[in-house]
Amino acid sequence: MSENAAAERNIDTSKMQVSDELAIQINGMNKWYGSFHVLRDINMSVYAGERIVICGPSGSGKSTLIRCINRLEEHQAGQIIVDGTELTGDLKNIDKVRSEVGMVFQHFNLFPHLTILENCTLAPIWVRKIPKREAEETAMHFLEKVKIPEQANKYPGQLSGGQQQRVAIARSLCMKPRIMLFDEPTSALDPEMIKEVLDTMISLAEEGMTMLCVTHEMGFAQAVANRVIFMDQGQIVEQNEPKEFFNNPQSDRTKLFLSQILGH
Amino acid sequence: MSDTQPISYVRDTMLGQQEPPATQRGVVKWLRENLFSNWLNSILTLAALVAIYLILTSVGPWLLNSIWDAESLRECRDILDGTPGACFAVITDRWHQLLFGFYPPEHYWRPVLALVLLLIALAPILFAELPRKMLYFSAVFPFIGYHLLWGGSVWFPISVFLGFVAGYIAFRALAKVSALVSVIGAVAATLVWWFFIAGPFDAAMYSVAPIGLEFVRSESFGGFLISLVIGVTGISLSLPLGILLALGRQSDMLFVKTVCVVFIEFIRGVPLITLLFTASLLLNYFLPPGTNFDLILRVIIMVTLFAAAYMAEVIRGGLAALPKGQYEAADALGLDYWKAQRLIIMPQALKISIPGIVNTFISLFKDTTLVVFIGLLDPLGLSNAIRADTAWTGIYWELFIFIGALFFIFCFSMSRYSMYLERKLKTDHR
Ligand SMILES: Nc1ncnc2c1ncn2[C@@H]1O[C@H](COP(=O)(O)OP(=O)(O)OP(=O)(O)O)[C@@H](O)[C@H]1O
Ligand SMILES: [Mg+2]
């Protein structure tokens, strides 16, 4: 993260510490959709406490990459190890990884037939087997954290986009995940709602959560990320700390991409 | 704005509340808006009034002159003496047959009690506000209902029920091993109990304690009793079976998928009446000689399979309407396949499919009248039987009106209930 950008936004960086414990390790990972080679030889290590922003042009495989990390998509070659568990066809491992890794989607994907509170308590009750009362307390705690406790008994359809996305974040947090994945969490939102969601994400970062965010919010990247990864054509083209990445990009593709998204 | 007009204005007298103009309120407004809003609407309104008048003047006297008390159609005609009039005396004379068939009259209380208990058992399923503990009664009702209707040894339904208990115990015992093993174990335990233990258990218990209501043969069942037995059993079995078939059809496992697709397409491609004939005639060839396989049971199986195939397609439509994101969110939270289906996917898919599901229920219920073709005496079959009696030869309308009205009550309540449910489950606030 760049100190200035963080200071400008009043971000408390004291707990944002990267440990030397590996959270995610990806070795020589490849993925195909049919004969289309979407992800090519991906290698990356994510340490606990890192805040990584992944960016790149549309279709470059960003979503596919983070969806592979919790096995919403299957990879065909290479290794993905999450929190010490390797993702293979073994369903036990997959469930274990999924309950450790939270995911926030572009279109929120809240469950429309359940209230906000039920959305948040469902997985803790059924996956973690936590008693209902306790799950509700946890859920209220996280709903307060994303600043919408008063909506607990409404249905998702009654909330604004930004509120829904904050509920989606709270829902993931209720599983007490060690890693959070965000796939363009703000790109379906109006500008004034983007801020409320980004603020929620920033406060998560301040608590030292390990985060991987696919996003085009470069302000967020500069202020919060400790590493920016640029992808193109299914490959990691460049990665660096934000200051270097934005001020001094090395690859021509990165330069072109940055000029396009920062240009206007 | 012109300079001559003063800009400042102060109201000196306040106006009271006033009625809207005469044409804009009450009956007049309603008539204008709903019946005479434009000339086409006005013409249609007048045409409808004429039609209603004609129907009332032709059917009205016939209904008003109804005879409710007579021994035969001839007697009715004598009383009416040429004036048009219905002869509902046939209903007064034969209602018990239309309702119960040839069920022994001294045991009429049994089907009636079964119906009352059925309503109690259905209540907690239909209305979520009722205490959930009532569902325990719903779970044992099928066994109580069976014993009330057919009677025989009370130990028979109990031993069948114990088969489920055995399955449940096996499920709980093996649950720690793995989900799949526990399901297989549960099915195996249930089947072992039914095929090897249930018979001897029933016989042994009956010889020790011969309790039970008097046995009533399936052949005595008839009328609405038979429609309800087939309809209610078919409806309650076809929904779960349809859900499983719909899921199977979407499965990644080639074998499961093929079996489901072949089953659904085969059943949908064959008329119900063919299946019923198969049930009544052909099964006798395939079953080992001497097996006494109850005809009503066979019909229930066929009707259930038939409705389940349609149900599966209706539910598949609901599943297809769900966005992929719902599956992904469930997966991402770590819910396994069955939990995701039960908690996330099915509640939404079923909600979308309510109109189609109820449609299938209603048509299943009406299709129960087809059993007349294989010799079961459903209400229509009985109306033929009643006409065969010289006292009532030639009477049609009155019987059909009565039968139609009863069917209408059941089907219309199902339809109303489904609308209530749709409204209640509406949470998307579109
Ligand atoms: N299920 C699928 N089947 C086949 N091809 C797919 C599938 N999902 C994605 N793709 C292709 O894979 C490529 C990478 O897709 P991906 O969604 O990962 O891109 P992205 O970087 O997230 O793009 P965006 O910024 O538009 O979200 C795209 O070319 C896309 O067309
Ligand atoms: Mg994407």
Side-chain angles (χ1 to χ4, degrees), chain B residues 72-91:
Chain B
S72 67
L73 186 58
R74 171 177 301 273
E75 198 185 328
C76 268
R77 297 215 168 117
D78 288 345
I79 299 173
L80 283 167
D81 196 21
T83 50
C87 183
F88 283 112
V90 66
I91 310 295

Side-chain angles (χ1 to χ4, degrees), chain A residues 170-189:
Chain A
R171 176 176 74 177
S172 294
L173 292 177
C174 286
M175 287 293 281
K176 308 260 171 79
R178 306 186 39 154
I179 303 167
M180 285 287 287
L181 308 175
F182 294 83
D183 189 1
E184 306 206 30
T186 56
S187 53
L189 298 176

Side-chain angles (χ1 to χ4, degrees), chain A residues 67 70 72-73 95 98-99 101 103 105 109-114 119 122-123 126-127 129 155 157-158 171-172 175, chain B residues 177-178 324-336 339 342-345 347-348 351 425-429:
Chain A
R67 290 158 59 85
N70 69 351
L72 287 181
E73 301 286 354
D95 285 340
R98 282 177 178 163
S99 59
V101 177
M103 174 129 182
F105 300 86
N109 298 351
L110 294 178
F111 305 129
H113 62 301
L114 300 176
N119 263 279
L122 184 110
W126 290 93
V127 180
K129 316 270 183 226
Y155 286 94
Q158 294 165 296
R171 176 176 74 177
S172 294
M175 287 293 281
Chain B
V177 185
S178 96
K324 196 162 148 257
Q326 294 291 311
Y327 293 87
E328 289 177 352
D331 282 348
L333 286 170
L335 294 166
D336 63 30
K339 281 182 193 145
R342 187 170 124 212
L343 302 165
I344 311 294
I345 308 301
Q348 295 184 64
K351 187 179 100 183
L425 296 181
K426 192 166 170 353
T427 56
D428 52 359
H429 306 280

Side-chain angles (χ1 to χ4, degrees), chain A residues 153-216:
Chain A
N153 292 315
K154 289 196 183 165
Y155 286 94
Q158 294 165 296
L159 267 53
S160 76
Q163 291 174 324
Q164 291 194 41
Q165 192 60 295
R166 285 184 283 154
V167 172
I169 294 174
R171 176 176 74 177
S172 294
L173 292 177
C174 286
M175 287 293 281
K176 308 260 171 79
R178 306 186 39 154
I179 303 167
M180 285 287 287
L181 308 175
F182 294 83
D183 189 1
E184 306 206 30
T186 56
S187 53
L189 298 176
D190 293 339
E192 73 264 35
M193 297 177 192
I194 292 182
K195 185 173 177 306
E196 59 189 51
V197 171
L198 287 181
D199 285 346
T200 309
M201 291 169 63
I202 290 171
S203 73
L204 257 187
E206 284 174 336
E207 284 164 21
M209 175 66 80
T210 312
M211 297 164 66
L212 257 81
C213 316
V214 175
T215 179
H216 292 144

Side-chain angles (χ1 to χ4, degrees), chain A residues 33-34 36 38-39 56-65 67 73 106 183-184 214 216 231, chain B residues 324:
Chain A
Y33 281 123
F36 175 53
V38 236
L39 292 179
S58 182
S60 53
K62 310 176 297 286
S63 300
T64 312
L65 172 61
R67 290 158 59 85
E73 301 286 354
Q106 181 174 1
D183 189 1
E184 306 206 30
V214 175
H216 292 144
M231 286 185 72
Chain B
K324 196 162 148 257

Side-chain angles (χ1 to χ4, degrees), chain B residues 267-320:
Chain B
I267 298 272
R268 287 205 305 164
V270 175
L272 176 57
I273 193 74
T274 317
L275 293 177
L276 292 178
F277 276 124
T278 313
S280 83
L281 305 171
L282 282 180
L283 279 185
N284 282 347
Y285 292 105
F286 295 127
L287 292 171
T291 32
N292 180 18
F293 193 22
D294 193 273
L295 184 57
I296 293 187
L297 182 60
R298 284 190 247 167
V299 167
I300 287 177
I301 292 175
M302 285 304 181
V303 168
T304 305
L305 296 183
F306 187 76
Y310 281 87
M311 196 69 77
E313 289 299 284
V314 168
I315 294 169
R316 191 165 68 98
L319 287 172

